[in-house]
Amino acid sequence: MSTDLAFHDPPEAHQQQPGEYVVESARLRALADYDSAKFGWFHVKTCLVAGIGFFTDSYDIFAINLCSTIMGYVYYADATGSAKNTTPTSIDMWIKGATQLGCIFGQLAFGYLADRLGRKKMYGTELVIIIVCTIGGSFAGNTARGLSVYWVLFIWRFFLGVGIGGDYPVSAVLTSELATSKNRGAMIAAVFAMQGFGIVAAAIVAIVVLACFRTAIEDDQLMLDYTWRILMGLGVVPGIFALYSRLTIPETPRYTLDVEKDVHRAVHDVKATVGHKNGVAVAESLGSGHVQVKAQKPTWTEFYHYFKQWKHFRVLMGTSVCWFALDVAFYGINLNSSIILTAIGFAGTGTPYHALIRVAAGNIILNLLGTLPGYWVTVFTIDRLGRRTIQFIGFAVLLVLFCILGFAYHQILDRSVAGFIVLITLAQFFQNFGPNTTTFIIPSEAFPTRFRSTCHGISAASGKVGAVIAQLGFFQLKDRGGKNAFIPQLIQIFALFMLVGLVFTWFVPETKGKTLEELSDEFDN
């Protein structure tokens, strides 16, 4: 009998091999011993190492918004009329969308490779890509012939996206497999919540860098060319601190046992993660009578046979469609940022220095109001309320909010700007205390070890397709009929996507309190 019964060939194709090892119940007992380990320093370290990566990811993604604004003052300082000091929309959306495009490739590639080669072998590789491409982007310039600074930056940002995309499945799955069942949701949510701090940090760094160059900028606004490069380049600092820990983290015992089928190393990995005592318990559960067999790497044939069953395919369909629906609105709702910043007095007006300071400060306020609280309320409640429950609540509330905003957009803005800000803030809160977090968590739990990372990568890539549609498609539609004239209709479209997410959440399992083996139906098998 195969060690990983969740992934076997069809019964007629499978024949038991002599010496094939370990009674399945012993393996499940060993993993149960690991699951019940006491929460300790290694779990905290895992959250920090993975979380710093997501801090870096969100810093890099958000910093480009500020960098693009600053670059307008440098490369379009001599333009006339409304084009003066402004990066053209057609260029702006591509240098921002480049990262999302790269993410799709990174999520699919690293998701597959982390299942094929192991979590440990891929962990840190994506961070190296992020560090190299961040530095490369900060030194982007015009070529002698052909490429402008924007298109050189686009190339660097695309490959940066590959690294950021790779971080999604690898960090999520590694954290999930190293966590205990009791705290798994909070651990993964805490890793993801570091994105909120990365967004705020980018704005804070922008203010500090601008303040340091204030005199130079007021004398010559072209000195802003230094500020966007420094702002972007500083994104490598947290990644450098986390790199060594990522490269030296042990393999997850689940991967070692289920895919590599190496009992001795599995015991060693348990001791390296949750301590010697738990390693001994796992060794006793496995017993000394095992026979080592050759590892069988996951194959696409196995993948097909597993997911051709409706009960398995519906889960992958649910996680992918929900993430896609969420990201369309998550990235699209930011089209309202300029309106909100104007309403609270932080629009980019005045001298270049004062305009940029206000934009950065305004973004800090917006994220402190809704984004950060939403992330951390999820961290502290997800293992009590459950992932599916929070996702249902989030999609349902967002559906109502977007219907109100979409169908009464101008009435709300005309009568109460404060009311408009409250509604947008609530939307940001329930995106993060809701599907933005749960769509990241559930795919890291709901699939068997052999395909867990691949499935997370597919789900995440589906989300980024939604992000690309929002940033490259809806971004062009928002000014249809006049400046920001089409935004009410776009918000109505976002409401429709929330309904789609709400419906497809029915296909997603509740993972709270269950072991990863229970969730992949191994006990039934």
Side-chain angles (χ1 to χ4, degrees):
M1 184 177 292
S2 170
T3 304
D4 192 346
L5 293 181
F7 294 101
H8 52 71
D9 291 326
E12 65 273 15
H14 178 78
Q15 295 193 7
Q16 188 171 348
Q17 299 297 321
E20 199 167 354
Y21 102 105
V22 183
V23 176
E24 182 68 8
S25 61
R27 184 182 71 87
L28 294 175
R29 282 200 309 272
L31 294 176
D33 289 335
Y34 183 83
D35 246 339
S36 61
K38 185 178 179 181
F39 185 83
W41 165 243
F42 180 80
H43 296 105
V44 176
K45 180 182 176 182
T46 299
C47 289
L48 289 174
V49 172
I52 289 174
F54 272 86
F55 176 97
T56 303
D57 296 346
S58 63
Y59 179 101
D60 288 332
I61 290 174
F62 180 76
I64 193 61
N65 297 326
L66 297 171
C67 289
S68 179
T69 302
I70 296 171
M71 290 171 74
Y73 286 95
V74 177
Y75 298 103
Y76 289 88
D78 296 329
T80 58
S82 60
K84 185 176 178 62
N85 295 331
T86 304
T87 299
T89 300
S90 59
I91 296 176
D92 181 63
M93 71 176 186
W94 279 108
I95 62 170
K96 292 176 181 177
T99 309
Q100 307 298 348
L101 289 169
C103 278
I104 296 172
F105 289 93
Q107 286 159 341
L108 293 173
F110 277 79
Y112 168 73
L113 290 172
D115 280 336
R116 182 74 183 176
L117 304 178
R119 286 63 161 132
K120 175 181 171 58
K121 288 182 180 178
M122 302 311 299
Y123 208 46
T125 304
E126 80 287 7
L127 197 54
V128 171
I129 295 173
I130 292 170
I131 291 170
V132 171
C133 292
T134 299
I135 295 172
S138 66
F139 284 99
N142 295 313
T143 60
R145 295 182 185 275
L147 295 177
S148 71
V149 61
Y150 286 104
W151 287 110
V152 173
L153 185 58
F154 172 88
I155 295 170
W156 282 114
R157 297 291 299 183
F158 176 83
F159 287 104
L160 171 69
V162 173
I164 291 175
D167 203 18
Y168 275 68
V170 182
S171 285
V173 168
L174 187 138
T175 304
S176 175
E177 292 180 355
L178 292 177
T180 63
S181 297
K182 182 179 179 180
N183 302 301
R184 190 175 61 237
M187 284 181 63
I188 305 171
V191 169
F192 194 64
M194 291 301 289
Q195 285 191 330
F197 289 124
I199 293 170
V200 173
I204 292 174
V205 171
I207 291 174
V208 172
V209 174
L210 287 167
C212 291
F213 279 80
R214 178 173 183 173
T215 302
I217 293 169
E218 290 177 343
D219 290 339
D220 180 6
Q221 76 177 56
L222 295 185
M223 294 298 291
L224 284 166
D225 196 39
Y226 289 100
T227 62
W228 75 262
R229 297 176 187 277
I230 294 171
L231 171 60
M232 184 180 293
L234 287 174
V236 305
V237 174
I240 290 173
F241 279 109
L243 183 59
Y244 175 78
S245 295
R246 286 199 171 199
L247 293 174
T248 57
I249 201 166
E251 183 59 88
T252 70
R254 279 185 168 86
Y255 186 87
T256 307
L257 194 59
D258 291 351
V259 180
E260 296 185 334
K261 304 185 187 303
D262 189 335
V263 176
H264 293 297
R265 187 178 163 196
V267 173
H268 176 271
D269 289 339
V270 171
K271 291 178 181 178
T273 55
V274 291
H276 178 80
K277 180 178 179 181
N278 292 290
V280 173
V282 168
E284 291 175 349
S285 295
L286 290 170
S288 57
H290 69 272
V291 178
Q292 190 65 46
V293 297
K294 182 180 179 180
Q296 296 178 340
K297 298 294 185 180
T299 66
W300 288 113
T301 302
E302 279 186 294
F303 186 91
Y304 168 75
H305 283 303
Y306 185 77
F307 284 104
K308 75 178 182 180
Q309 301 178 59
W310 169 245
K311 68 175 182 177
H312 300 313
F313 175 74
R314 59 178 286 184
V315 178
L316 181 58
M317 178 182 68
T319 58
S320 299
V321 174
C322 286
W323 206 333
F324 170 81
L326 178 277
D327 270 13
V328 170
F330 182 78
Y331 286 91
I333 199 65
N334 289 328
L335 299 174
N336 290 284
S337 296
S338 61
I339 297 172
I340 300 173
L341 291 175
T342 300
I344 62 177
F346 284 89
T349 57
T351 66
Y353 172 79
H354 288 99
L356 293 168
I357 286 287
R358 275 196 287 268
V359 169
N363 277 288
I364 292 174
I365 294 171
L366 290 181
N367 284 286
L368 290 179
L369 285 175
T371 302
L372 267 177
Y375 277 126
W376 289 97
V377 169
T378 305
V379 172
F380 292 113
T381 60
I382 194 164
D383 283 317
R384 290 195 293 272
L385 296 178
R387 291 71 152 148
R388 199 164 179 252
T389 300
I390 291 176
Q391 186 159 306
F392 268 127
I393 292 172
F395 274 129
V397 173
L398 288 168
L399 173 60
V400 173
L401 289 173
F402 288 153
C403 283
I404 294 172
L405 283 166
F407 290 100
Y409 187 85
H410 293 295
Q411 295 91 321
I412 296 171
L413 264 181
D414 292 341
R415 295 183 182 181
S416 176
V417 172
F420 181 82
I421 294 172
V422 168
L423 289 172
I424 291 293
T425 299
L426 286 173
Q428 290 177 328
F429 176 84
F430 280 101
Q431 281 178 329
N432 294 296
F433 176 60
N436 188 42
T437 304
T438 55
T439 52
F440 176 80
I441 295 173
I442 295 172
S444 69
E445 303 174 303
F447 303 101
T449 304
R450 292 176 70 79
F451 297 135
R452 187 170 292 128
S453 183
T454 300
C455 292
H456 194 285
I458 292 171
S459 302
S462 300
K464 287 306 179 206
V465 170
V468 169
I469 290 173
Q471 288 197 322
L472 301 184
F474 292 158
F475 192 80
Q476 296 186 71
L477 290 176
K478 76 181 184 73
D479 293 327
R480 184 180 179 184
K483 186 173 177 59
N484 295 327
F486 202 69
I487 285 182
Q489 288 81 359
L490 287 177
I491 297 178
Q492 293 168 23
I493 295 173
F494 298 158
L496 180 61
F497 278 102
M498 294 304 95
L499 179 60
V500 170
L502 187 63
V503 170
F504 276 83
T505 298
W506 287 103
F507 297 109
V508 172
E510 177 53 72
T511 59
K512 179 186 73 171
K514 296 180 180 179
T515 68
L516 298 180
E517 287 65 48
E518 289 177 288
L519 291 167
S520 57
D521 289 337
E522 291 191 32
F523 287 130
D524 292 341
N525 287 315

